Amino acid sequence: MATINTNFHKLAGSYLFAEIAKRTKQFAENNPSATVMRLGIGNTTEPLPSSIIKGLSLGVQKLASVATYSGYGDEQGDARLRLALADFYKNRGITVLEQEIFISDGAKPELPNIQQIFGSNNVIAVQDPVYPVYVDSNVIAGRTGVYTNGRYKKIVYMPCTQKNGFVPMPPKEHADLIYLCSPNNPTGAVATKKQLKAFVDFAIKHKSVLIFDAAYSEFISDKTLPRSIYEIPGAQKCAIEINSFSKMAGFTGVRLGWTVIPLELVIEKTEKGEVNKLWNRRQTTMFNGASNIVQEGGLAVLSKEGQRECKKIITYYMENAKIIKKALEKLGLTVFGGENAPYIWIKTPKNMSSWEFFDKLLNETHVVGTPGSGFGPGGEGYFRLSAFGHRENIEKAVQSIQKNLKI
Ligand code: PGU
């Protein structure tokens, strides 16, 4: 008889954003006259700029003639796109070789996939709170113990608190795989070079691997803050970087990302280049490459014009962040983030729990946000609002909060 992966039973609940969608739908059904304003999931809303539409269209056009048609492409990705990404790093003074870059269909699937090259006994460490995919996918993979008192056994939680500016120090105990998300989802905090260096030093000392999720790197406006882990000397020896076109170019629905596995990265019983080769083996076996149409769009994103147009949209979302943050501060709420990341991290008033505040905000103002506790036990008592949205909707949501939230 077939059996199931019983690790699924260990999961504490539904996937966070699925739970929010369910509760929002319920509210809308019970309150048909209410206009629900969604600042929950970080989902892009602005149309793609013309240079990128041209790139995507070119991808479609190429399929229309014998001379330019292509079928299966390289599993590692289109060589032109890999080169363009190597240049993207080079422009930042970072050397990443084409061979070290693997094109993906987005960061979310990559984050669990990458685990396949690591042993099931590896101990993982995560920032707390953080994007829930790191923890949930490791639970499913069997790398954790049971869930008790809001925590999974065998996970090292690195608390991100108001006191440490939401950027933790490396853990005191040993960890093999350390997930780092900077700019951080949900707190919006960005680790400095010095703070990241502490993690690189830890990883080299403990022979651990950093899995650096840089999905929001392009939202950093402070030039002194690192946008890639490879800005830190030594990181090539111990870090994998996962990034995405989703937030930087509005590709949330288009789907495109990339992963860097440095040739220098060495883990237990491997030589230089071997981890990169393992990932190549995994990809050639289990992935048939990202869509050729989409990769043509990705090339357009990385063009000079594409970069200029994407920056304008990022500025637009960050203007939304400013509007939200300012209004909430005016109400007397304690608010973080929103400066180098598209998320506003709010301390719930009167020590309300995150889900209590979710219900209150939805009922009183019809605004949907994300309860901080959904990102880990350290997020309890906090709440996240996303700055992705049309300006008029953001303004409407802010006005409704100012007018209707009873605090
Ligand atoms: N990494 C981080 C840190 C993210 O916040 C998200 C999306 C992703 C990766 C996903 O990137 P893709 O390249 O689009 O796969 N976070 C959003 C969406 C939530 C979800 O899981 O669908 C958020 O609201 O947190």
Side-chain angles (χ1 to χ4, degrees):
M1 197 195 285
T3 60
I4 61 157
N5 172 1
T6 52
N7 292 317
F8 276 90
H9 293 325
K10 285 189 202 154
L11 289 167
S14 312
Y15 181 60
L16 174 63
F17 294 98
E19 180 65 25
I20 291 168
K22 194 179 99 192
R23 293 199 190 202
T24 308
K25 192 166 165 247
Q26 231 159 44
F27 175 84
E29 276 167 16
N30 297 341
N31 301 274
S33 61
T35 309
V36 176
M37 292 162 277
R38 292 165 209 271
L39 304 188
I41 190 159
N43 200 357
T44 48
T45 56
E46 298 314 292
L48 298 184
S50 62
S51 66
I52 297 170
I53 291 295
K54 257 192 222 144
L56 289 165
S57 309
L58 175 64
V60 175
Q61 286 306 318
K62 279 183 156 179
L63 296 176
S65 86
V66 173
T68 51
Y69 174 83
S70 62
Y72 290 128
D74 293 338
E75 293 92 342
Q76 302 82 358
D78 186 321
R80 294 170 305 150
L81 185 56
R82 297 170 86 197
L83 267 176
L85 281 166
D87 276 347
F88 175 81
Y89 281 108
K90 198 165 151 198
N91 292 336
R92 292 175 181 186
I94 301 166
T95 307
V96 174
L97 307 175
E98 177 200 341
Q99 194 191 338
E100 298 175 316
I101 300 170
F102 294 83
I103 306 302
S104 73
D105 57 359
K108 186 171 176 176
E110 267 321 67
L111 289 158
N113 288 346
I114 202 80
Q115 294 169 22
Q116 289 180 7
I117 56 173
F118 296 104
S120 51
N121 284 334
N122 283 302
V123 172
I124 70 152
V126 291
Q127 288 157 295
D128 175 28
V130 83
Y131 185 43
V133 168
Y134 317 149
V135 167
D136 286 11
S137 60
N138 272 292
V139 173
I140 293 169
R143 250 180 227 100
T144 71
V146 292
Y147 184 76
T148 38
N149 297 330
R151 283 177 171 75
Y152 290 97
K153 297 262 189 237
K154 243 191 98 178
I155 290 187
V156 176
Y157 290 87
M158 302 183 287
C160 303
T161 60
Q162 191 175 343
K163 204 165 157 213
N164 64 18
F166 301 100
V167 180
M169 288 293 287
K172 296 231 176 353
E173 56 272 67
H174 176 84
D176 302 300
L177 300 177
I178 303 166
Y179 288 84
L180 287 177
C181 179
S182 180
N184 183 267
N185 172 14
T187 67
V190 185
T192 61
K193 285 186 183 164
K194 197 172 155 208
Q195 286 166 325
L196 287 185
K197 183 176 180 303
F199 278 95
V200 168
D201 291 348
F202 176 97
I204 290 173
K205 186 170 159 217
H206 289 255
K207 298 195 167 59
S208 322
V209 173
L210 305 177
I211 300 177
F212 190 77
D213 184 346
Y216 300 100
S217 60
E218 302 317 289
F219 289 76
I220 296 177
S221 55
D222 180 341
K223 298 246 178 329
T224 66
L225 294 171
R227 286 180 286 180
S228 163
I229 188 71
Y230 304 120
E231 290 183 41
I232 315 303
Q236 307 269 359
K237 292 195 184 97
C238 63
I240 289 173
E241 183 159 291
I242 292 179
N243 209 328
S244 167
F245 286 77
S246 282
K247 312 293 164 94
M248 72 184 247
F251 271 30
T252 40
V254 179
R255 310 302 305 147
L256 191 66
W258 76 92
T259 295
V260 180
I261 317 248
L263 292 170
E264 276 197 49
L265 179 76
V266 184
I267 58 175
E268 194 193 30
K269 292 185 186 147
T270 67
E271 287 169 15
K272 280 189 185 173
E274 211 175 321
V275 182
N276 178 286
K277 258 200 206 143
L278 279 182
W279 183 243
N280 193 54
R281 179 69 171 88
R282 190 268 171 205
Q283 291 297 79
T284 48
T285 309
M286 301 192 193
F287 188 54
N288 252 335
S291 147
N292 45 15
I293 300 169
V294 169
Q295 292 192 77
E296 205 65 54
L299 272 167
V301 168
L302 297 174
S303 71
K304 224 174 172 177
E305 181 60 5
Q307 284 293 288
R308 197 186 61 78
E309 290 183 320
C310 286
K311 280 209 172 74
K312 261 170 75 179
I313 299 176
I314 289 173
T315 306
Y316 176 88
Y317 289 133
M318 291 310 291
E319 197 57 42
N320 286 347
K322 250 189 222 150
I323 293 169
I324 300 168
K325 193 168 181 177
K326 213 169 130 193
L328 297 181
E329 278 171 343
K330 229 171 147 185
L331 282 177
L333 290 165
T334 308
V335 187
F336 306 92
E339 270 155 31
N340 293 290
Y343 295 121
I344 314 291
W345 188 237
I346 308 159
K347 178 102 198 68
T348 59
K350 298 185 182 138
N351 290 323
M352 294 179 85
S353 78
S354 301
W355 277 109
E356 274 167 2
F357 190 69
F358 174 89
D359 288 334
K360 181 179 170 68
L361 195 71
L362 186 54
N363 284 311
E364 292 177 4
T365 73
H366 305 163
V367 173
V368 179
T370 308
S373 55
F375 298 96
E380 184 55 278
Y382 286 90
F383 197 77
R384 189 192 85 175
L385 287 181
S386 157
F388 292 107
H390 301 312
R391 180 65 44 78
E392 60 271 29
N393 291 347
I394 296 286
E395 278 169 350
K396 267 191 209 143
V398 160
Q399 277 158 19
S400 177
I401 293 173
Q402 284 175 319
K403 196 166 142 224
N404 302 315
L405 184 67
K406 300 182 192 79
I407 41 174

